[in-house]
Amino acid sequence: MVLKQITHLTSIDNLTKEQINFILDKSKQMLNILNSKKTLNICKGKILACLFFEASTRTRLSFEAAMHRLGGNVIGFADASTSSAKKGESLTDTIKTVQNYADIICIRHPLEGSSKLAAKYCKIPIINAGDGGHEHPTQTLMDLFTIMIKKNTISNLKIGLCGDLKFGRTTHSLLQALALFGNEIICISPEELRMPNEIKDKIQNYGGKIFQTENLNEVINKLDILYITRIQKERFISEKEYLRLKGRYILDKKIMSIAPKNLFIMHPLPRVDEINPEIDNDKRCIYFQQAFFGVPVRMAILEIMLKI
Ligand code: CP
């Protein structure tokens, strides 16, 4: 297959369907390699810079693990207060500097559009590892991979996106990809935390079907996948408003007892109170497996974007 090269990955809409399918196929190969315990050297001599201006466990560590598994090296920071941003250095100056030390950069930053700005000034590939409440495209690729492994398809499914759809960047990227592949999406959120109109408008272009509700119990029986997210406390201006909305959706044994037997529960993690740990051993709860898939998927992304 001849694919247009992926230069930067700042939004899921940088990718065509063919490119997404190619990444998912490559991720399957990487998963097989990981499972066989073989070691790889395909990124030997390459350096990934992880610039994390905002907290992370999964994204940063799975990017680092992916690069190590490919035989490459990692530099970077996990806390912007230890970088020269603390002294007032601009993001663009940081990028103009780090591009001379690495072959590829993944960046998490609290400002929406920060990775796109970084890409404008960068001669090496930039990967958006989360830009404020905007997007998180590599999370979407591992979400799609999880769905592919569990359902054997990423098309013609009924998928519920639940929780904070206003600030939840993972759902912004995922909605676009799910619509691109012809799924029916049910957005479940309080009115105040609805999916932004600009994202919904974008998916109208490729005929995406969305239904909105506040009532999870009303729709849970119709779903193949329920993708639940935490309420993003750090993006609220008012603590009072956060406290009013938190705890609106909680998955526990009671709700799982009425949920379909073939429903899968996904969550990008971290969770706060929206999934009671009492259901973690329910076979339908696949969020920790989803987090593990961050490694093979990010191995695939690094290999493809480094043009190896
Ligand atoms: N899903 C995700 O982005 O997790 P982290 O914030 O831990 O990276």
Side-chain angles (χ1 to χ4, degrees):
M1 189 196 307
V2 180
L3 278 182
K4 192 171 142 284
Q5 181 57 46
I6 304 164
T7 312
H8 301 291
L9 181 50
T10 59
S11 163
I12 197 69
D13 75 6
N14 296 156
L15 301 176
T16 63
K17 253 173 124 163
E18 289 69 28
Q19 286 170 321
I20 291 175
N21 280 322
F22 185 71
I23 292 168
L24 298 183
D25 287 347
K26 179 73 77 180
S27 302
K28 189 77 191 9
Q29 292 168 25
M30 294 298 182
L31 179 62
N32 291 338
I33 290 167
L34 281 177
N35 287 337
S36 72
K37 311 278 181 213
K38 275 189 215 146
T39 49
L40 288 175
N41 267 324
I42 52 182
C43 281
K44 193 163 187 279
K46 300 285 182 190
I47 297 176
L48 164 69
C50 288
L51 310 185
F52 278 68
F53 294 84
E54 209 183 49
S56 168
T57 295
R58 278 146 290 273
T59 309
R60 185 175 65 83
L61 294 180
S62 62
F63 260 115
E64 292 193 9
M67 195 51 161
H68 287 299
R69 296 282 188 211
L70 291 168
N73 296 299
V74 181
I75 59 171
F77 50 83
D79 179 351
S81 70
T82 64
S83 79
S84 285
K86 172 89 172 163
K87 302 177 210 160
E89 183 167 65
S90 68
L91 173 62
T92 50
D93 281 1
T94 303
I95 294 297
K96 285 177 190 171
T97 304
V98 175
Q99 66 180 348
N100 298 308
Y101 305 154
D103 300 289
I104 189 163
I105 293 174
C106 78
I107 177 170
R108 171 169 291 189
H109 196 283
L111 286 183
E112 297 192 6
S114 49
S115 63
K116 198 170 174 187
L117 176 71
K120 208 171 144 187
Y121 291 93
C122 196
K123 63 185 181 199
I124 62 171
I126 288 275
I127 301 172
N128 180 3
D131 60 332
H134 181 227
E135 281 211 43
H136 194 350
T138 65
Q139 176 73 45
T140 288
L141 292 165
M142 56 190 269
D143 296 341
L144 293 176
F145 185 67
T146 307
I147 296 170
M148 176 66 89
I149 294 284
K150 290 296 181 181
K151 290 284 185 189
N152 217 22
T153 179
I154 52 169
S155 296
N156 301 313
L157 296 168
K158 277 199 174 62
I159 302 187
L161 303 180
C162 178
D164 183 349
L165 307 186
K166 180 180 178 187
F167 297 118
R169 58 192 172 202
T170 66
T171 62
H172 299 167
S173 301
L174 184 57
L175 175 67
Q176 295 174 63
L178 291 174
L180 184 65
F181 281 89
N183 295 286
E184 193 175 319
I185 300 120
I186 303 181
C187 288
I188 308 148
S189 72
E191 198 179 337
E192 298 87 338
L193 297 177
R194 279 191 176 173
M195 183 64 70
N197 283 336
E198 61 265 26
I199 308 226
K200 285 188 286 185
D201 292 347
K202 236 168 141 180
I203 75 157
Q204 307 300 339
N205 297 337
Y206 27 86
K209 276 188 267 176
I210 310 188
F211 174 76
Q212 289 191 151
T213 179
E214 291 194 33
N215 191 337
L216 174 59
N217 287 18
E218 186 182 273
V219 294
I220 195 164
N221 276 308
K222 300 179 186 156
L223 300 176
D224 298 298
I225 307 271
L226 175 61
Y227 188 100
I228 189 161
T229 61
R230 78 185 162 95
I231 310 289
Q232 307 264 309
K233 183 181 181 190
E234 66 276 29
R235 316 240 180 259
F236 278 74
I237 297 166
S238 151
E239 165 116 15
K240 199 169 146 205
E241 182 70 350
Y242 165 72
L243 292 172
R244 192 174 69 76
L245 294 167
K246 87 184 257 286
R248 182 69 65 95
Y249 305 104
I250 295 183
L251 298 183
D252 55 14
K253 278 190 174 167
K254 188 162 170 237
I255 191 158
M256 290 306 286
S257 72
I258 59 152
K261 294 276 170 282
N262 58 354
L263 171 75
F264 286 114
I265 306 293
M266 295 175 63
H267 191 307
L269 302 176
R271 68 175 150 188
V272 185
D273 58 1
E274 60 283 355
I275 299 179
N276 189 322
E278 71 183 12
I279 65 168
D280 284 357
N281 291 331
D282 187 314
K283 288 201 163 32
R284 294 169 290 181
C285 294
I286 56 171
Y287 27 86
F288 288 109
Q289 192 179 12
Q290 181 187 350
F292 162 65
F293 288 148
V295 179
V297 171
R298 289 178 171 124
M299 286 168 77
I301 293 167
L302 289 171
E303 188 193 330
I304 292 167
M305 292 186 69
L306 283 166
K307 310 182 186 87
I308 295 165

